[in-house]
Amino acid sequence: MKFRFFLVAAAMTVIGAVSLGAQTASEIVGRMSEEMSKSDAQGSAMTFAVKIPMVGEVSSYVMSLGDKTKMEMSGKDKDVVVWLDSDTKWEYDLSAGEVVITAKEASSSDSSRQSDISRFENISEGYKLVLNKEDDEAWYITCRKKSSNKNKDDFRKMKVVVAKDTYLPLELSGGNCLFKISITDFALGVSDAEVTFRAADYPGVKITDNRM
């Protein structure tokens, strides 16, 4: 009888320890958001992909630090590298072998990309979060839009994969009938040199300055 009681007590202790150590999906996503917010000071890098039916997929590797951004974009017919700061845009068309410099203007593509990234901010407020599974490397979370969420632009369902060692997202993805987006390889830490255009790095490339 004493031995049976000991087994029950041991089992309850183990279950209690596991429960105390477990994290909810909301807690994991909240910590992820905290870590991602460090990009304001440290800069960030990520792979960003948009897939549109009948059009195809456009992917870009994006690095940002302060008001500077570098985007390496690959599409069906064109590969370009774009640098941006608060005033200027440099666009390098690899097939043409030319860098065109222009005064920066607010572009629909830039605002659209920012809007797509913002879809994954404050997820806990508008979505029901379910921790589907976990392994040694990551947590896998499904986000389903709450009926109380009236934002028509929010996706009905999103997928979030969070690294256990850093709490940074390994994948953020979602979509609707018009397009699907995914953000992968999110990392913190970008230097100013990585997001700054320098003509000396592109010898033999034609540079056209259209700012005048």
Side-chain angles (χ1 to χ4, degrees):
M1 187 64 131
K2 290 183 178 180
F3 181 68
R4 181 179 299 176
F5 175 79
F6 172 78
L7 290 178
V8 172
M12 293 298 291
T13 300
V14 171
I15 292 172
V18 171
S19 298
L20 288 172
Q23 297 183 77
T24 66
S26 182
E27 290 171 337
I28 294 167
V29 169
R31 176 68 183 278
M32 179 192 75
S33 296
E34 290 179 14
E35 292 301 314
M36 290 179 70
S37 69
K38 295 177 181 178
S39 63
D40 294 339
Q42 300 179 23
S44 63
M46 69 191 80
T47 298
F48 189 87
V50 180
K51 188 174 184 179
I52 304 173
M54 306 301 293
V55 175
E57 181 173 313
V58 176
S59 64
S60 60
Y61 182 66
V62 183
M63 292 184 288
S64 299
L65 178 64
D67 61 2
K68 292 185 175 182
T69 300
K70 179 183 179 183
M71 298 180 286
E72 301 174 1
M73 297 182 286
S74 177
K76 183 178 180 181
D77 303 314
K78 192 175 184 179
D79 294 332
V80 299
V81 182
V82 175
W83 295 261
L84 300 167
D85 64 16
S86 58
D87 304 309
T88 308
K89 175 181 178 181
W90 297 261
E91 182 169 333
Y92 176 30
D93 185 334
L94 276 68
S95 60
E98 180 181 15
V99 174
V100 177
I101 307 173
T102 57
K104 180 184 175 183
E105 298 178 359
S107 70
S108 59
S109 60
D110 292 341
S111 60
S112 176
R113 182 173 61 83
Q114 291 298 327
S115 175
D116 289 335
I117 295 173
S118 68
R119 293 174 189 271
F120 298 98
E121 298 176 351
N122 302 317
I123 298 175
S124 299
E125 296 181 6
Y127 289 83
K128 178 181 179 181
L129 309 182
V130 177
L131 178 58
N132 292 326
K133 66 174 184 177
E134 64 177 286
D135 54 30
D136 293 339
E137 305 295 329
W139 293 283
Y140 300 79
I141 298 169
T142 297
C143 313
R144 298 185 183 278
K145 188 176 180 181
K146 294 179 179 178
S147 58
S148 58
N149 182 354
K150 303 303 181 181
N151 189 337
K152 61 182 179 61
D153 293 327
D154 282 351
F155 296 139
R156 293 176 61 86
K157 180 180 177 182
M158 297 190 296
K159 177 182 178 182
V160 177
V161 182
V162 183
K164 286 188 171 181
D165 57 344
T166 63
Y167 281 89
L168 292 175
L170 297 175
E171 178 184 351
L172 301 169
S173 59
N176 52 35
C177 60
L178 299 177
F179 64 93
K180 299 182 184 298
I181 66 171
S182 67
I183 297 171
T184 56
D185 307 319
F186 187 94
L188 294 173
V190 172
S191 68
D192 185 73
E194 290 178 296
V195 291
T196 300
F197 174 77
R198 293 176 299 275
D201 294 338
Y202 298 89
V205 172
K206 181 182 178 182
I207 298 179
T208 303
D209 191 341
N210 290 334
R211 287 176 292 182
M212 300 299 183

